[in-house]
Amino acid sequence: TNEEIIMKRRETLANMCDERARVLQDQFNVSLNHVHALSILVSTFHHGKIPSAIDQRTFEEYTERTNFERPLTSGVAYALKVPHSEREKFEKEHGWAIKKMETEDQTVVQDCVPENFDPAPIQDEYAPVIFAQETVSHIVSVDMMSGEEDRENILRARASGKGVLTSPFKLLKSNHLGVVLTFAVYDTSLPPDATEEQRVEATIGYLGASYDMPSLVEKLLHQLASKQTIAVDVYDTTNTSGLIKMYGSEIGDISEQHISSLDFGDPSRNHEMHCRFKHKL
Ligand code: WA2
């Protein structure tokens, strides 16, 4: 009967949506674990050895060769915690000035490349990127605390000791919405039961990964069968008064929609996958 067909169709949609959500969540979790491991690698071989066993070249080579471990990421980078009192010494040692992150609403698009960024204005502290995977080499020397989303993520990462995610925003040199995942790197003196204050005090840097959602979700869905049949949207639903679409299209009939929940590992952010058939029954 017609009713059975509709029931069957609804069940198929639910199964396909749940499968896609599970694959995306698993891939995200795999890359989150490897970004976490990278933060320990930097702690061990950059901060834990004198002289450091990591420079930009080694970081670039290692992150490129282990890229397969971080599906969905478009690049990883490491920023140092630099208090204002150490800025001059830091800039002299590195041979460049800490730059301010500028976005398109502050500058003409043409100037919106990090090579043209101005020096960072005076702040209590900075988070300049010192190592970057080649795919995000344009953020080297940029103060990540001068970007609103990045700054918020850095503060939350170091106070919590966990991997934290930004809400979706337009990444530098990208036309798409993306998210950034950040892990703080601590001095080894940090006790396991540390307070927030002790964590902030013991922070020495920030390891971050950027995710270009549209191109990466697209790549992932491409690997699954029946891409022709269903349309998939991914939303950040943290703020219930305004969902942010991270991936998706306008096609399909929303009267017949299935919602699968997504867990990207940061309990203070919520995500959902919305699926529908591309063609009416
Ligand atoms: N990485 C790549 N592109 C970006 C970006 C970012 N943040 N922010 C804006 N566009 C080094 O949390 C520390 C990476 C930030 C880490």
Side-chain angles (χ1 to χ4, degrees):
T1 65
N2 206 18
E3 198 154 308
E4 280 171 341
I5 293 172
I6 290 171
M7 286 270 286
K8 188 82 200 141
R9 194 172 144 92
R10 201 170 289 157
E11 194 185 310
T12 305
L13 181 64
N15 289 337
M16 286 169 86
C17 199
D18 287 346
E19 191 208 350
R20 274 154 185 74
R22 191 182 45 81
V23 171
L24 181 62
Q25 184 180 301
D26 287 354
Q27 298 263 301
F28 195 90
N29 190 253
V30 165
S31 67
L32 179 140
N33 286 336
H34 280 94
V35 173
H36 189 182
L38 255 183
S39 73
I40 296 166
L41 179 116
V42 167
S43 161
T44 310
F45 294 99
H46 181 58
H47 297 286
K49 283 193 171 291
I50 304 172
S52 162
I54 303 180
D55 57 11
Q56 169 57 28
R57 248 193 75 224
T58 3
F59 189 86
E60 210 174 287
E61 184 186 338
Y62 182 79
T63 53
E64 207 47 50
R65 292 178 67 191
T66 54
N67 207 27
F68 67 92
E69 305 260 37
R70 301 178 303 274
L72 307 178
T73 63
S74 44
V76 290
Y78 182 62
L80 266 192
K81 179 185 177 192
V82 178
H84 183 68
S85 59
E86 285 166 30
R87 176 175 182 169
E88 210 181 305
K89 182 165 148 271
F90 174 91
E91 292 185 333
K92 210 166 272 166
E93 270 172 24
H94 286 81
W96 42 254
I98 300 175
K99 296 184 192 72
K100 180 180 188 292
M101 192 190 299
E102 284 165 60
T103 49
E104 274 164 36
D105 36 275
Q106 290 153 356
T107 49
V108 268
V109 177
Q110 193 182 313
D111 291 338
C112 195
V113 285
E115 302 89 81
N116 297 339
F117 285 0
D118 291 332
I122 295 175
Q123 301 288 333
D124 290 349
E125 58 171 313
Y126 312 89
V129 172
I130 59 164
F131 303 140
Q133 190 171 348
E134 202 212 304
T135 48
V136 290
S137 59
H138 52 273
I139 63 170
V140 170
S141 81
V142 176
D143 171 23
M144 299 319 282
M145 286 186 113
S146 61
E148 192 187 326
E149 293 84 0
D150 277 294
R151 178 191 172 81
E152 212 180 289
N153 229 36
I154 282 169
L155 298 179
R156 219 152 55 82
R158 72 187 188 185
S160 70
K162 306 233 160 59
V164 301
L165 271 182
T166 62
S167 45
F169 70 107
K170 207 177 138 317
L171 300 175
L172 289 171
K173 278 205 171 174
S174 161
N175 294 314
H176 303 147
L177 281 188
V179 293
V180 170
L181 168 71
T182 304
F183 279 95
V185 173
Y186 302 101
D187 194 84
T188 46
S189 63
L190 187 73
D193 58 347
T195 63
E196 272 191 24
E197 291 70 36
Q198 285 174 313
R199 289 194 174 279
V200 173
E201 181 61 34
T203 301
I204 47 183
Y206 318 97
L207 200 288
S210 51
Y211 294 76
D212 179 320
M213 289 312 274
S215 57
L216 300 160
V217 177
E218 183 73 25
K219 200 164 80 187
L220 183 129
L221 295 176
H222 220 87
Q223 296 161 4
L224 295 169
S226 46
K227 194 171 170 279
Q228 275 70 330
T229 322
I230 68 165
V232 170
D233 293 339
V234 177
Y235 287 94
D236 180 311
T237 57
T238 307
N239 193 338
T240 46
S241 65
L243 310 192
I244 307 171
K245 192 187 274 188
M246 300 161 79
Y247 173 82
S249 60
E250 305 302 324
I251 39 173
D253 174 16
I254 49 165
S255 66
E256 218 185 356
Q257 180 170 246
H258 182 83
I259 300 179
S260 301
S261 64
L262 280 168
D263 182 354
F264 287 150
D266 179 347
S268 64
R269 300 250 181 255
N270 300 315
H271 300 89
E272 282 175 2
M273 182 177 280
H274 295 195
C275 305
R276 61 205 176 274
F277 283 107
K278 284 186 178 172
H279 305 288
K280 273 197 185 261
L281 189 63

